[in-house]
Amino acid sequence: KENAVLRHLYGEQLAHVACLKGIYTLITGTRPSVKAAPLPYQDPEAILRRCYGREMRCLAQYESRASDPEYGQVYARMAQQEREHCRQILELLGRLPPEK
């Protein structure tokens, strides 16, 4: 079940990136070039903690743009999804086995 949740979260994050790239392209007339930096290995709890913090920051940014006249509905939808991502990350964190 946890793998399915992670795959779903990953897919929605890719969709958010695509939407943001689309917005950037419409605003600037150019395509963005974004490269993801490789992440160092961390234990699952540290990864989930980092992900939760990032989700909360994205949520705040999307909510702050939800009143945008042109893209507000897109930001509002992504904010709704980020709220659910936060819940799912907390659930995953709660399901981790205790450290020995």
Side-chain angles (χ1 to χ4, degrees), residues 35-40:
K35 295 180 182 176
L39 296 174

Side-chain angles (χ1 to χ4, degrees), residues 13-99:
Q13 289 306 117
L14 290 178
H16 289 191
V17 170
C19 286
L20 293 171
K21 285 180 175 182
I23 291 170
Y24 180 90
T25 301
L26 288 175
I27 291 171
T28 67
T30 61
R31 309 235 353 134
S33 61
V34 180
K35 295 180 182 176
L39 296 174
Y41 174 80
Q42 289 183 311
D43 66 275
E45 183 174 335
I47 292 169
L48 290 171
R49 287 175 179 271
R50 186 179 70 240
C51 288
Y52 184 80
R54 286 184 181 171
E55 294 290 330
M56 290 298 292
R57 288 189 294 279
C58 286
L59 173 58
Q61 289 296 316
Y62 295 155
E63 285 180 337
S64 74
R65 290 168 170 76
S67 62
D68 181 274
E70 204 161 347
Y71 307 109
Q73 76 278 3
V74 175
Y75 288 119
R77 176 68 175 131
M78 289 192 300
Q80 180 184 16
Q81 289 174 326
E82 293 295 349
R83 280 190 290 278
E84 178 60 16
H85 293 178
C86 289
R87 187 201 62 76
Q88 290 173 329
I89 289 169
L90 290 173
E91 183 178 337
L92 289 169
L93 193 56
R95 289 176 185 260
L96 287 177
E99 289 186 24

